[in-house]
Amino acid sequence: MPGTAVIGLQWGDEAKGKIVDLLTSQHDIVVRYQGGANAGHTVVVGDEVYKLSLLPSGVLTAGVTCVIAGGVVFNPAKAIEELDELESRNVEDCDNLKLSDRIHVIFPWHFAEDRALDSNTSDGENIGTTGRGIGPCYRDKVGRSHAVRLGDMYRSTFREQIEHITAAKNRVLASMFPDGDLQPLDAEEIFEQYSAFAERLKPYVADTTDYLLTAAESGKRILFEGAQGALLDVDHGTYPFVTSSNSSGVGISNGSGLPARYVNKVIGIVKAYSTRVGGGPFPTELDNEIGQRIRDQGNEYGTVTKRPRRCGWLDAVAVRYTTRLSGVDSICVMLLDVLSGLDELLICTAYELDGQQSTVFPSHVDDVRRVKPVFETLPGWQEDITKVRKLADLPANARAYLDRVSQLVGVPVEMVSVGPARDQTIPVSPG
Ligand code: IMP
């Protein structure tokens, strides 16, 4: 039974959506299992551009069931907005969507808490969250007493649950916004609004854990769609400058409810360079005109928040770490075309810390901040490669760059992407 996972190996925005989209038709089921509407993905089908932040991009493929599993935090208004948009554009497969009744639901208090708490890391640097209530919702999930799962919204106790939580949240929010910047939340209004959401979403709600276990046991082909990147993993990333879920390969089982043995292949997605949005250390960051050139060429502005992304050289120390952490079998190198026209390309092959060189990615954020990248310089290429469809037709220097990345990271390259369209993809045969 082929179970395949697609995992971002940097700080998100690696263009996972395109690879998921290409692989979707070879699978029966696509599963999103962590994160929420903080993940933006753009899928280009012919002349149509779809921007989704919560629904799996598999909703664009007929005959495939899309599952949002229990590990996701869920903004029902966003899901309905995306469903309405797809229906208005005649994407008919929304019928094949299943929403776990175990999903934790994002409420207005989560957005307010996200705003209030983002600036409170102990060293004063903001995490720079997407403001989508992700962290506060996960915090309530683990805290248990003020959490609502999608299945709760169909119970007779829902009104009482909302009244209880709203009262408690209003007390907390009053202390977070002492200047009265926030009006107290109205339990009745929230109950009415979320009851309407529940009604609209009812046809899609299911026990997806049981559904997925049964599907896996009967040999269905499942594609696991990771959100964000492994360096944002709450346990193994650049903590605290991370998201609140396990965005590396380690999150697949707990988020989906499927044992790890159902994942037979892990594909890591790597940009040909690095980007990061929000705060936190970024050893290979280019705060200069090359960084700006990459930002412009790669259109490196957030899908969700429109923030300009920080850009830098490829960091093979970081990617080797996340490749090992996620059990990656092969990588797809994305946006290679963005590097065309640069005379030289740098790859970080080691870090220097306190006079010592190492290829280990440090566990403490202060050390990630302090490392000096050790760079290797490779010659660039000038040709436009956006129309190349065969590996042999890439300029020799582009092939040499890919070979070196593969060697440093320790796994083969499986695909290379040279543009956003489905066909701007170069398959790479193993060996
Ligand atoms: P949060 O997930 O909104 O709590 O944001 C935490 C950190 O993760 C911030 O630095 C965000 O910019 C980053 N982040 C969250 N989602 C994404 C994503 O899909 N792509 C890139 N960065 C993300």
Side-chain angles (χ1 to χ4, degrees), residues 272-273 290 293-294 297-298 313 334-345 379-388 394-395 397-398 401 417-419:
Y273 46 92
I290 301 181
R293 185 182 188 284
I294 292 176
Q297 291 284 118
W313 296 120
M334 313 302 287
L335 293 122
L336 188 68
D337 53 299
V338 172
L339 297 183
S340 296
L342 289 168
D343 293 334
E344 292 185 328
L345 302 173
W381 58 91
Q382 301 306 314
E383 297 88 331
D384 171 9
I385 58 171
T386 56
K387 296 192 177 60
V388 174
L394 277 177
N397 287 348
Y401 184 78
S417 176
V418 291

Side-chain angles (χ1 to χ4, degrees), residues 11-13 38-40 127-130 134 228 232 242-243 277-278 307:
W11 283 286
D13 309 315
N38 49 349
I127 295 173
T129 72
T130 56
I134 307 295
Q228 292 88 42
L232 290 172
V242 291
T243 192
V277 210
R307 289 179 289 180

Side-chain angles (χ1 to χ4, degrees), residues 30-34 54-56 65-76 79 96-106 141 148-154 201-212 254-258:
V30 181
V31 188
R32 266 206 66 183
Y33 54 87
Q34 46 76 223
L54 184 54
L55 299 185
T65 301
C66 288
V67 172
I68 302 191
V72 166
V73 287
F74 185 74
N75 176 347
N96 285 344
L97 179 67
K98 289 188 189 299
L99 306 174
S100 169
D101 56 359
R102 291 177 172 86
I103 294 176
H104 279 259
V105 180
I106 298 180
K141 164 179 168 168
V148 180
R149 305 209 293 184
L150 191 54
D152 296 334
M153 291 169 55
Y154 301 94
L201 295 170
K202 203 171 182 177
Y204 307 106
V205 181
D207 176 351
T208 65
T209 306
D210 183 63
Y211 171 78
L212 287 174
N254 68 1
S256 68
L258 282 181

Side-chain angles (χ1 to χ4, degrees), residues 101-234:
D101 56 359
R102 291 177 172 86
I103 294 176
H104 279 259
V105 180
I106 298 180
F107 280 85
W109 47 80
H110 293 131
F111 297 108
E113 289 170 1
D114 212 354
R115 253 196 303 147
L117 293 174
D118 186 30
S119 53
N120 281 352
T121 53
S122 52
D123 65 359
E125 185 179 355
N126 288 2
I127 295 173
T129 72
T130 56
R132 299 293 193 268
I134 307 295
C137 187
Y138 276 118
R139 190 183 296 128
D140 280 339
K141 164 179 168 168
V142 181
R144 293 151 298 159
S145 46
H146 296 130
V148 180
R149 305 209 293 184
L150 191 54
D152 296 334
M153 291 169 55
Y154 301 94
R155 303 273 152 174
S156 57
T157 44
F158 182 46
R159 180 191 289 271
E160 204 185 318
Q161 194 180 12
I162 290 296
E163 284 168 357
H164 164 74
I165 299 175
T166 309
K169 289 291 182 181
N170 275 334
R171 288 193 293 276
V172 174
L173 289 171
S175 67
M176 286 180 168
F177 294 90
D179 301 333
D181 293 353
L182 190 80
Q183 292 294 312
L185 299 166
D186 185 306
E188 187 56 26
E189 205 178 291
I190 294 173
F191 172 75
E192 292 297 335
Q193 189 186 26
Y194 276 70
S195 297
F197 293 156
E199 201 46 41
R200 167 77 171 92
L201 295 170
K202 203 171 182 177
Y204 307 106
V205 181
D207 176 351
T208 65
T209 306
D210 183 63
Y211 171 78
L212 287 174
L213 284 167
T214 307
E217 284 155 7
S218 63
K220 291 268 191 280
R221 300 162 302 168
I222 303 177
L223 182 62
F224 300 89
E225 174 177 359
Q228 292 88 42
L231 293 169
L232 290 172
D233 187 288
V234 66

Side-chain angles (χ1 to χ4, degrees), residues 41-109:
H41 32 261
T42 307
V43 182
V44 181
V45 184
D47 295 335
E48 297 281 320
V49 178
Y50 297 90
K51 285 187 190 293
L52 301 172
S53 66
L54 184 54
L55 299 185
S57 33
V59 291
L60 300 171
T61 307
V64 170
T65 301
C66 288
V67 172
I68 302 191
V72 166
V73 287
F74 185 74
N75 176 347
K78 191 76 200 155
I80 292 169
E81 183 190 310
E82 293 186 5
L83 278 170
D84 288 348
E85 157 85 3
L86 291 177
E87 282 174 10
S88 74
R89 292 168 73 178
N90 297 321
V91 176
E92 283 156 18
D93 241 51
C94 298
D95 288 355
N96 285 344
L97 179 67
K98 289 188 189 299
L99 306 174
S100 169
D101 56 359
R102 291 177 172 86
I103 294 176
H104 279 259
V105 180
I106 298 180
F107 280 85
W109 47 80

Side-chain angles (χ1 to χ4, degrees), residues 393-404:
D393 295 340
L394 277 177
N397 287 348
R399 276 182 282 136
Y401 184 78
L402 293 170
D403 285 346
R404 187 63 181 134

